[in-house]
Amino acid sequence: MEEAVGIRWHHFITRMAQRSYPQARVTLEQEQPRLAVVLRALGGDAGLSIRAAAEQRLNTSRSWLQKVAGNGLRFALAWRDADTLYLPAQLEFYPSAELNRELYLWLTALASCQPLLVLAGQEWHSLNQQNVKLCLQHYPGLEPLYHRLVVAEIQERDLRLSLKKSAWAREEAIRLALAAPGSVAELPAGPGDPDPVPLWLYDGRPPKAISRQPDNDSGDQHPAGRGAVTDSKVRRQADFADDPDGRDGLLIFRLESLFSWSEFIPVDRTSDDSDDPDAGRIAEDLDRITLSQNRSNQASRIRLDLDLPSAAEDDIPLGEGLPYPEWDYRKNTLRPDYCRVIPMLPRAAQPTPLPAELQQAAARLRRQFSAFSTAPLIQRRQLQGEQLDLAGCIDHRIQQLRGQGLSSAPVWKQQQHRHRDLSCLVLADLSLSTDAWANNEKQVIDVIRDSLHLMGEALDASDDDFALYGFSSRRRDHVRFNLIKNFNEAWDDVIHGRIQALEPGYYTRMGAAIRQAVDIINDHPAEKRLLLLLTDGKPNDLDIYEGRYGIEDTRMAIQEAHRAGVITYCVTIDQSTADYVPYVFGQQRYFRLNRADQLPQLLPRLYLNLTGRML
């Protein structure tokens, strides 16, 4: 009973102290696709991704009810860095959902004009006023939107703020800076932190956190275990701290309790590499996460070695591999011979017929693709041919009766067999993420196997030249390129066996795999060349191949493919495609699946539509 009363009291006092409008809530997840387009359309950095910002703790003014309820302590503020624009996960500042949407739009427009370099000595309010003026100068059409937001913000600040007399001068200066950007040079002093201004961008990450971030190409600082990984959509702030070495403490014990040296086990209690099931929940409650760089990385190496199969169990390497370059967007240069792509053949592959559960779908696809590609074109009213054209004969006889008969009558019809000069290479992502479950019955890797089976059946029936490959990676010197079928091999049970032997690999160094695929397809001449990429995640690897670095390298590889005359298309299962896939592949060169188990049925139809537009 006491607990029930406490819960009801908490809900009541929280609702009474609330200074927002949940009924007008707009979420970033809903608006993110539109905002990504707006950011690039307004000339913002095309490589920026949009993510949710974490809440920060601020010492602002609070009403008596807010103090009782414990509200008004944490705020999600918009900010950006070189790679990402961080926006609140939800907006409910204003009573109208349309105003909250316009706030998302304004923050995105402001971020497209915000310079990354902050001038020394400039305060956050001065920088925001300059950015607002710059944004309105570049995009004068946003002035009505901005003024609507300013009016709504000033009205809401009258309702939600409970200020002391000593804080009013600072508040009046903030309101003047909103109404007339550039008119306030300095903010008057006041108690605590200024109340947040939703229309401005904040400095979300201190410079010291950036300077301590390691830039290690070898990737030894990153553990590579196969444990569960939680991918939070919220970017949190962090500080770096020195890692204790465990040797500075004072240990008091009775010497006679140590019977022999053989019973002493040195255990470093200052670090623990075991998984904490509550780590994710604890991280959600932290305003700031402190990180330390552990100088001892034997645990990560041991964990990585245990995850790798032995040479006797691993796939068969077909040579030492080929070196490929990699694009470093930070230095704006192409690193020559930076990656090594190693062709691999599944060791456990045995000739296997098409799985029974796919035979009905495969027969339907074969009928469809056979009619699409090999149906002869009937040419009528020809001077020569294989069969008489009945309609042509009737027309010729009518002309003879009219005295208009010709000596050589076009009364024949002939069949012209068409051949599409098209080659297609299907490149499947076989990274560790394919080990996840697509539904209650199949994993993602099972769905990819079924898709390759059906895609091969369809392409074989269409007489199009095609090849099938898969890829994964483990750092830059070990990019695995799995051979399933090359252009010269026949489609038979051997290929089905290789598909059935596919297993989840490691990571997704996409740029090197695309460059290898482009070289292969260019060695097989055809009028139209298509590279079809199947993936379920972003480019990533153990070393620096993360975030924007991997995205920029993949984008450069796609541009190189286009310059070589190869048409690229991406089919992705990743739900965050609005961030990077249009930027990497182009607006009309990708397709997103809502569910992974839709891939086997949709992939052949997608290929049919795509090649129909190409020819």
Side-chain angles (χ1 to χ4, degrees), residues 149-431:
L149 291 174
V150 170
V151 171
E153 174 61 20
I154 293 177
Q155 291 176 352
E156 291 303 318
R157 293 177 82 86
D158 288 334
L159 295 175
R160 70 172 179 256
L161 300 186
S162 299
L163 299 175
K164 298 179 181 179
K165 186 176 180 179
S166 57
W168 263 110
R170 182 175 61 188
E171 175 63 21
E172 290 293 341
I174 290 177
R175 297 187 183 196
L176 180 60
L178 282 171
S183 59
V184 177
E186 294 184 2
L187 282 183
D193 297 321
D195 287 279
V197 182
L199 277 68
W200 288 351
L201 295 176
Y202 285 74
D203 183 17
R205 186 166 58 177
K208 63 180 179 179
I210 302 175
S211 62
R212 290 289 301 274
Q213 186 171 350
D215 183 11
N216 187 3
D217 288 358
S218 66
D220 290 341
Q221 303 297 334
H222 299 271
R226 292 196 182 213
V229 177
T230 302
D231 186 12
S232 175
K233 295 182 179 180
V234 177
R235 176 64 178 269
R236 303 191 176 277
Q237 299 181 14
D239 287 325
F240 283 94
D242 293 333
D243 184 55
D245 58 7
R247 301 175 182 177
D248 299 331
L250 178 63
L251 179 64
I252 301 178
F253 69 100
R254 297 179 63 185
L255 189 60
E256 57 268 21
S257 64
L258 186 62
F259 296 104
S260 68
W261 289 107
S262 62
E263 296 180 6
F264 175 70
I265 302 177
V267 179
D268 183 8
R269 295 297 183 185
T270 63
S271 62
D272 186 7
D273 59 359
S274 61
D275 293 333
D276 186 355
D278 295 328
R281 179 183 57 80
I282 296 172
E284 291 294 330
D285 294 333
L286 293 177
D287 299 319
R288 208 171 201 74
I289 298 177
T290 301
L291 306 175
S292 63
Q293 183 175 343
N294 193 340
R295 291 175 293 274
S296 177
N297 53 11
Q298 283 81 5
S300 64
R301 290 180 179 175
I302 293 174
R303 189 182 302 177
L304 178 62
D305 292 340
L306 291 176
D307 283 339
L308 294 178
S310 63
E313 300 294 333
D314 198 6
D315 292 339
I316 303 172
L318 303 178
E320 297 181 355
L322 297 174
Y324 279 92
E326 186 169 276
W327 176 255
D328 188 346
Y329 83 100
R330 302 168 303 180
K331 300 178 181 178
N332 197 31
T333 184
L334 196 66
R335 298 181 171 184
D337 298 341
Y338 191 71
C339 302
R340 181 163 294 276
V341 179
I342 303 174
M344 311 286 287
L345 190 67
R347 182 177 295 275
Q350 297 292 333
T352 306
L354 179 69
E357 65 270 15
L358 300 178
Q359 291 181 0
Q360 184 176 359
R364 184 175 63 254
L365 287 173
R366 279 191 165 275
R367 289 193 299 269
Q368 180 183 5
F369 274 71
S370 296
F372 171 75
S373 63
T374 62
L377 176 65
I378 306 298
Q379 293 181 327
R380 301 180 181 275
R381 292 179 172 83
Q382 302 296 311
L383 296 177
Q384 59 183 359
E386 303 169 355
Q387 297 177 347
L388 284 173
D389 182 5
L390 181 59
C393 291
I394 295 173
D395 291 343
H396 177 61
R397 180 58 180 165
I398 292 174
Q399 291 176 1
Q400 283 182 332
L401 293 176
R402 293 177 178 177
Q404 301 175 354
L406 301 176
S407 58
S408 57
V411 295
W412 298 94
K413 62 180 180 180
Q414 61 180 357
Q415 294 182 349
Q416 181 182 4
H417 294 277
R418 297 178 296 176
H419 177 69
R420 305 194 307 171
D421 192 10
L422 172 68
S423 60
C424 175
L425 189 147
V426 181
L427 183 60
D429 177 2
L430 304 178
S431 60

Side-chain angles (χ1 to χ4, degrees), residues 470-488:
F471 76 97
S472 66
S473 65
R474 195 182 71 245
R475 296 193 178 93
R476 62 186 178 91
D477 57 348
H478 191 87
V479 181
R480 304 161 68 90
F481 203 76
N482 298 78
L483 170 63
I484 303 173
K485 177 191 177 301
N486 63 32
F487 282 107
N488 299 320

Side-chain angles (χ1 to χ4, degrees), residues 62-82:
R62 295 192 295 160
S63 65
W64 178 81
L65 276 177
Q66 286 180 313
K67 293 178 180 179
V68 172
N71 288 352
L73 292 173
R74 299 164 65 91
F75 303 89
L77 305 175
W79 59 286
R80 65 157 289 189
D81 58 14

